[in-house]
Amino acid sequence: MSSEESIEELEKKLKKLENQKKDKESEKLEEEMERDLLVKIKSLELDLKIINEKLNDLNKKPKKSN
């Protein structure tokens, strides 16, 4: 194997490693985004539950007659 071939092979390996690193970073970012979305969804579910409880309370109160 000549030096030129070795350099080409090393460059290919380096590119492959860089791509793997990018893939891992983007996978980590995706996981973070997914966790954030789950937290937001849970928060919205809680908000919705509170709103529904308040609506139920309003519906249970006797209506004032004019």
Side-chain angles (χ1 to χ4, degrees):
M1 184 183 283
S2 72
S3 327
E4 201 171 298
E5 287 174 327
S6 295
I7 291 173
E8 284 178 15
E9 286 300 311
L10 286 173
E11 286 174 344
K12 284 180 187 177
K13 286 181 181 180
L14 178 62
K15 258 198 185 330
K16 186 177 179 181
L17 285 172
E18 286 172 344
N19 285 338
Q20 286 175 346
K21 183 180 178 188
K22 284 180 187 176
D23 288 347
K24 284 183 181 182
E25 287 173 354
S26 71
E27 186 177 312
K28 187 176 180 180
L29 182 62
E30 262 183 50
E31 289 172 356
E32 272 182 41
M33 290 170 62
E34 187 175 326
R35 278 193 301 274
D36 287 350
L37 280 174
L38 285 172
V39 167
K40 287 177 184 178
I41 288 171
K42 289 295 179 186
S43 175
L44 286 171
E45 286 175 339
L46 183 59
D47 289 347
L48 184 59
K49 182 180 178 185
I50 291 169
I51 290 170
N52 277 328
E53 287 173 357
K54 288 185 179 191
L55 275 174
N56 284 336
D57 287 347
L58 284 174
N59 285 332
K60 288 178 185 175
K61 286 184 182 177
K63 295 182 179 177
K64 295 180 183 176
S65 53
N66 290 336

